[in-house]
Each structure stands twice: as C-alpha cells, then as structure tokens.
Amino acid sequence: MVIRSAKFVKSSPHIGLCPDSDLPEYAFIGRSNVGKSSLINMLTGLKTLAKVSGTPGKTQLINHFEINESWFLVDLPGYGFAKVSQSKREVFSDMVTRYILNRENLNCLFVLIDSRLEPQEIDLTFINWLGSNQIPFALIFTKTDKLSSASLNCSIARFKKKLYETWDELPPLFTCSTVTRIGRDDILNYIAEINATTGVLAK
Ligand SMILES: Nc1nc2c(ncn2[C@@H]2O[C@H](COP(=O)(O)OP(=O)(O)O)[C@@H](O)[C@H]2O)c(=O)[nH]1
Ligand SMILES: [Mg+2]
C-alpha cells in the first residue's frame, strides 16, 4: 500500500470526543517507550507526525491520524507505568479500556512488544484481557535492530511459548524496526487486506 497522505486529526481525552467517523481504524498500544509513536512515523513516512518521546508515559491522549483520506491510525497512551501498589485494572486506564471495548470502527489493535525483553507479565495480562473480550489484535515485536537475528528468534519463541499456555491459536505476528524499516510493508499490507474486507478500496 502506498501512503499518499497522512494528517493529524485530533487528540481526544476520551472515546466520546474521538472523531465521529466510521472509517476503518487501527490503533497501536503497548508499554510506554516500546516504540508506538516511532512506528506510526515509520509507517506514514513522516518523521514528526506522532510525538516520539524520550520520557516514558507522556502521551495521555488518543491521537487520530487520517491516512489516504480513507482510514485512521491511532496512537494510544502506553501502559505499565502505574505504581506497584495499584491494581491491574488501574494499570490499563479507563480511557484506554473504554476506547478498546467501545470503538466500533476499530478493526485491529496492534500490541507492541519490546523484542529485547523477557515476556512481561503486563503484556500477557493485557493480551489475555483482549482475548476474553474478543478484540481483534495482532502483535508487533519492536526494536529488532537492537538484537541479532538469533536472539530475536529466541525472544519470539519464548513469547509464543507463554501465549500457548493460554491460547490455542496465535494472533498474526509482525516484527519491526524503525531503524532498518523492517516490517513496514508487512504491516501496511495487513492493514490493506483488512481495509479491503471492510469495503474500503485499496487506495
Ligand atoms: N533502536 C531503535 N529505537 C527505537 C525504535 N523504535 C523506537 N525507538 C526509540 O525508543 C524510544 C521510545 O519511542 P516512542 O516511539 O516514543 O515510544 P512510545 O512511548 O511507545 O510511543 C525513542 O527514543 C525512540 O527513538 C526502533 O525500532 N529501534
Ligand atoms: Mg508515544
């Protein structure tokens, strides 16, 4: 898929203020600092579209970007920076859970996983929560440029093994690096495929 246009639409503090539109939507979520905003910039080819932050936990809004005037990419706040004393429910903010459960045009939620880390409890908890709520999602292992291909394979295998403890079938799985731009075509093609099934012509 060719990206012909990408423009910031708005930042919303909750789902009620998100764009009133039924264009197909694809959102990115994961722990703070995993690379969500960088990936959106890499996919669109616009280096400064989404704010990349050196400080984790900065984006607290739902950010909509309109692509090719026919679908949305959404940059969501990261999770995982709540204090240890807080419950799991609070870790995934009401704002994010309401958006995920109620946004009808959300076609796929991309869950980003840092490929350098051991499987993180918070990611697994979140993925299992998506499963129990039947939210369509895919996984993207980020920052692959920081690992050898052997370590990357090992890291992915370790994560899959954890998932097989609770899942019979795995979701679609991608790898990406904003440095080597690996993953860009695969992720955009996947979005184009879903767009096609929902009646949006491959623009
Ligand atoms: N080496 C490398 N660094 C990355 C990659 N993606 C993101 N980063 C860096 O990770 C940090 C957090 O990125 P950001 O996109 O703001 O993460 P977010 O909090 O999930 O939106 C920034 O310093 C990015 O430059 C990647 O693929 N490779
Ligand atoms: Mg961000």
Side-chain angles (χ1 to χ4, degrees), residues 36-37 51 53 59 75-76:
K36 298 177 290 296
S37 305
K51 255 196 194 139
S53 171
T59 322
D75 195 7
L76 291 172

Side-chain angles (χ1 to χ4, degrees), residues 8 10 13 15 67 70 85 88 90 106 148 174-175 188:
F8 169 72
K10 73 184 292 196
I15 183 175
I67 314 298
S70 56
S85 60
K88 274 177 186 156
E90 285 169 304
L106 177 62
S148 67
F174 301 93
T175 53
L188 288 178

Side-chain angles (χ1 to χ4, degrees), residues 124-144:
L124 296 165
T125 303
F126 182 71
I127 289 167
N128 288 331
W129 176 81
L130 291 178
S132 54
N133 286 286
Q134 297 179 312
I135 304 296
F137 71 98
L139 300 180
I140 304 180
F141 290 87
T142 66
K143 307 192 185 182
T144 61

Side-chain angles (χ1 to χ4, degrees), residues 32-38 52-53 143 145-146 177-179:
S32 299
N33 227 32
V34 69
K36 298 177 290 296
S37 305
S38 306
V52 172
S53 171
K143 307 192 185 182
D145 58 282
K146 297 214 173 192
S177 161
T178 58
V179 175

Side-chain angles (χ1 to χ4, degrees), residues 89-104:
R89 197 185 129 62
E90 285 169 304
V91 172
F92 307 121
S93 71
D94 273 356
M95 182 247 254
V96 167
T97 50
R98 282 201 195 113
Y99 166 83
I100 293 171
L101 294 175
N102 300 306
R103 186 74 174 165
E104 285 177 8

